[in-house]
Amino acid sequence: MEALNSILTGYAVAALSVYALWFYFLSRRLTGPKVLPFVGSLPYLIANRSRIHDWIADNLRATGGTYQTCTMVIPFVAKTQGFYTVTCHPKNVEHILKTRFDNYPKGPMWRAAFHDLLGQGIFNSDGETWLMQRKTAALEFTTRTLRQAMARWVNGTIKNRLWLILDRAVQNNKPVDLQDLFLRLTFDNICGLTFGKDPETLSLDLPDNPFSVAFDTATEATLKRLLYTGFLWRIQKAMGIGSEDKLKKSLEVVETYMNDAIDARKNSPSDDLLSRFLKKRDVNGNVLPTDVLQRIALNFVLAGRDTSSVALSWFFWLVMNNREVETKIVNELSMVLKETRGNDQEKWTEEPLEFDEADRLVYLKAALAETLRLYPSVPQDFKYVVDDDVLPDGTFVPRGSTVTYSIYSIGRMKTIWGEDCLEFRPERWLTADGERFETPKDGYKFVAFNAGPRTCLGKDLAYNQMKSVASAVLLRYRVFPVPGHRVEQKMSLTLFMKNGLRVYLQPRGEVLA
């Protein structure tokens, strides 16, 4: 027995020695956060969880040099699965999103986590499944009728709901949570545009809507899957406990609502996206089944709600802290509306902006783009590595590992945006004469709307919706933060404000001096 113990002790010492040697050489060649034996970078990740995006930016900034790339690692798990290569340099991002696009799909972990909610929808699929939906959606997003439908929904929610809520807040001298209002507005708009059914969450009494509540619960439960290993959430699912039980019950509500919407559209087609997909056929010439239509519609709802509302929230927070930008936006609005509606300022706020008027707002678009540069709605994205590869900066990424590009960090690098990268300066998006909006020559400096083959199809519609809503508020009101209200980032896949954006409003009065 004593001999056996000696042998086992010897094996243990040998194993630890081999691990220590491997860990020594591993830690020497890695850049980024410190790496500890067995637990890797995990303790530092947990310690900085309340400021995760700034922590990532700090680590990338500390690498110095031309490229900003680092590796976070958990060396106790399977080698490739424990490696997370994090980058923010445009050349690396272009390599991932365009040059080697097929080598960096969503990957099995992401698809498995989101499958119950999004199925094989466009935002949760790769390969031929994704390509078919992409081509179909691309045709629809270029139509004039879809733009007109979006304009009707946006203008209707502004005139008949948002303005009424804000007017009441002014009359009662009560604060409002702009983030909550924008979430409701964009949710109603995207539901109307997608399947022609208005959930009416943006109403005077700010009601809870069963579909909206279930959709939020299902989304949050799905996001938790990314925080757990697949083994843990699959056990919860099999046992019907915890967040998996909430997910199942929420999806039942969502699917019932979607089935009703699909049945209604089969009987009475309209100009919404669902009606358009009802006309489509798969590669075998068959109509798309109901469960596929459900997931297609839900994918568009997920993409169209959070991103615009979050961007608008950060936009108003930045405008409140940069009043000179607000003045320039209002002056631009005045010039455009004087040309389109005349000198009578009462007519300027009788109706929300038409999309054709919004198209002319160059400085406002620059301010929105600058907001997304500093506070991208989706601050980082994850890709799975199919085959061994080398990024343009020479970083080796092994197959089966994860590559993350930090969109949040890109906007905060002096090497990319200059010494004033942390300043809110819309002028950086304008030509020298200030007459035209100008995207960066290196398109991968700005990937808030993704880039490459997966570039957001609804980018132009999103800009017009945001311009219409921003104009509707700024023409009528001046906005002030509630004293003592803390604006903090919520740690999620979307850059929500943790405590919302609580503000007071005052009537603007005369716009022109």
Side-chain angles (χ1 to χ4, degrees):
M1 189 68 178
E2 188 173 326
L4 179 61
N5 288 336
S6 297
I7 293 173
L8 292 175
T9 301
Y11 278 129
V13 171
L16 286 173
S17 299
V18 170
Y19 177 84
L21 186 64
W22 171 78
F23 178 81
Y24 171 76
F25 285 108
L26 171 71
S27 60
R28 287 193 60 179
R29 66 182 176 84
L30 294 178
T31 57
K34 292 181 180 180
V35 182
L36 300 175
F38 300 109
V39 294
S41 310
L42 193 58
Y44 303 103
L45 184 68
I46 294 172
N48 289 278
R49 64 188 180 278
S50 63
R51 57 179 300 272
I52 186 70
H53 303 303
D54 284 306
W55 178 67
I56 290 173
D58 290 343
N59 278 291
L60 290 169
R61 197 178 293 113
T63 61
T66 303
Y67 294 85
Q68 286 77 41
T69 304
C70 63
T71 304
M72 299 180 188
V73 62
I74 307 175
F76 192 59
V77 301
K79 180 179 179 181
T80 55
Q81 292 178 3
F83 278 75
Y84 292 80
T85 301
V86 187
T87 187
C88 69
H89 195 277
K91 292 300 180 186
N92 287 341
V93 176
E94 181 178 12
H95 182 85
I96 295 165
L97 297 183
K98 179 184 176 183
T99 309
R100 292 295 311 279
F101 173 75
D102 291 336
N103 196 50
Y104 297 95
K106 291 285 187 180
M109 184 179 75
W110 179 283
R111 290 198 303 271
F114 279 85
H115 182 267
D116 288 342
L117 176 63
L118 299 180
Q120 288 295 302
I122 191 171
F123 300 109
N124 195 45
S125 57
D126 296 308
E128 290 299 319
T129 303
W130 165 79
L131 187 60
M132 180 275 290
Q133 294 183 59
R134 173 77 183 192
K135 288 180 177 179
T136 302
L139 291 173
E140 302 303 338
F141 271 87
T142 58
T143 61
R144 180 77 178 176
T145 53
L146 188 66
R147 173 185 162 99
Q148 292 170 338
M150 182 64 162
R152 286 198 304 273
W153 283 103
V154 172
N155 289 354
T157 51
I158 289 173
K159 181 178 180 179
N160 301 320
R161 303 181 195 179
L162 180 64
W163 277 347
L164 297 180
I165 293 170
L166 297 184
D167 282 345
R168 187 177 66 176
V170 170
Q171 292 167 6
N172 297 331
N173 195 30
K174 297 286 187 181
V176 295
D177 181 353
L178 283 184
Q179 179 172 260
D180 179 56
L181 296 183
F182 293 151
L183 276 168
R184 291 169 180 270
L185 182 146
T186 55
F187 186 69
D188 290 353
N189 286 342
I190 196 61
C191 286
L193 185 69
T194 302
F195 43 82
K197 192 171 182 180
D198 185 357
E200 299 184 10
T201 62
L202 185 70
S203 301
L204 276 174
D205 54 350
L206 300 178
D208 284 333
N209 175 277
F211 173 62
S212 175
V213 173
F215 186 78
D216 280 344
T217 302
T219 302
E220 290 180 11
T222 298
L223 292 179
K224 287 181 180 179
R225 288 181 170 184
L226 294 178
L227 303 178
Y228 305 147
T229 64
F231 176 72
L232 288 177
W233 67 256
R234 284 183 172 90
I235 288 179
Q236 282 194 340
K237 182 178 180 180
M239 298 178 65
I241 60 175
S243 59
E244 289 298 312
D245 181 51
K246 293 181 181 179
L247 176 60
K248 180 182 178 181
K249 292 176 180 176
S250 299
L251 287 177
E252 290 173 355
V253 176
V254 168
E255 288 170 3
T256 298
Y257 190 93
M258 292 303 304
N259 286 338
D260 291 343
I262 292 170
D263 290 341
R265 279 295 162 255
K266 286 180 179 178
N267 297 325
S268 179
S270 185
D271 59 357
D272 52 78
L273 283 170
L274 181 57
S275 296
R276 296 162 189 267
F277 273 95
L278 279 167
K279 301 174 185 176
K280 303 300 178 184
R281 298 290 186 271
D282 63 19
V283 291
N284 298 317
N286 301 317
V287 296
L288 299 176
T290 297
D291 63 325
V292 172
L293 289 169
Q294 281 181 357
R295 279 1 189 212
I296 289 173
L298 283 176
N299 274 254
F300 285 115
V301 171
L302 182 64
R305 184 192 75 153
D306 294 353
T307 50
S308 293
S309 58
V310 167
L312 281 167
S313 300
W314 287 109
F315 166 80
F316 275 97
W317 183 76
L318 288 166
V319 165
M320 285 189 294
N321 287 282
N322 295 271
R323 292 297 180 182
E324 70 283 358
V325 172
E326 178 186 21
T327 299
K328 291 178 181 179
I329 292 171
V330 173
N331 287 343
E332 180 182 55
L333 281 165
S334 302
M335 288 188 292
V336 170
L337 291 173
K338 187 174 181 180
E339 293 177 7
T340 60
R341 304 187 185 186
N343 292 324
D344 186 354
Q345 294 189 23
E346 288 188 6
K347 294 182 178 180
W348 295 2
T349 55
E350 286 179 352
E351 298 287 337
L353 263 68
E354 298 294 333
F355 273 15
D356 288 343
E357 291 175 316
D359 285 336
R360 301 173 62 178
L361 298 171
V362 176
Y363 189 83
L364 178 54
K365 183 177 181 179
L368 289 165
E370 182 72 345
T371 298
L372 288 166
R373 182 184 71 83
L374 288 168
Y375 296 98
S377 299
V378 180
Q380 60 183 326
D381 197 9
F382 303 86
K383 297 292 183 180
Y384 176 79
V385 184
V386 176
D387 293 314
D388 290 351
D389 195 17
V390 178
L391 299 179
D393 67 350
T395 301
F396 173 72
V397 286
R399 65 177 297 183
S401 66
T402 299
V403 169
T404 300
Y405 59 97
S406 174
I407 307 169
Y408 183 89
S409 299
I410 292 173
R412 285 168 162 68
M413 293 295 152
K414 293 180 181 179
T415 53
I416 299 173
W417 288 97
E419 292 295 322
D420 63 350
C421 64
L422 297 180
E423 295 178 18
F424 180 59
R425 193 171 67 82
E427 286 76 12
R428 75 176 79 241
W429 295 90
L430 303 176
T431 53
D433 58 9
E435 296 295 321
R436 290 183 296 108
F437 180 88
E438 187 174 57
T439 55
K441 293 180 180 179
D442 183 348
Y444 291 84
K445 287 175 61 174
F446 183 67
V447 290
F449 291 97
N450 216 315
R454 282 189 180 265
T455 299
C456 176
L457 291 169
K459 178 173 70 172
D460 292 336
L461 290 179
Y463 266 126
N464 276 333
Q465 176 178 230
M466 290 189 291
K467 285 195 278 188
S468 294
V469 174
S471 301
V473 176
L474 290 176
L475 272 172
R476 283 181 167 234
Y477 316 99
R478 295 198 69 192
V479 184
F480 301 90
V482 169
H485 176 66
R486 294 185 61 184
V487 172
E488 299 177 85
Q489 297 173 18
K490 182 179 180 179
M491 294 304 110
S492 67
L493 290 182
T494 308
L495 200 62
F496 288 108
M497 292 179 174
K498 183 178 180 181
N499 307 307
L501 182 61
R502 294 183 59 78
V503 303
Y504 283 106
L505 301 109
Q506 292 180 1
R508 183 168 291 279
E510 288 292 309
V511 174
L512 292 176

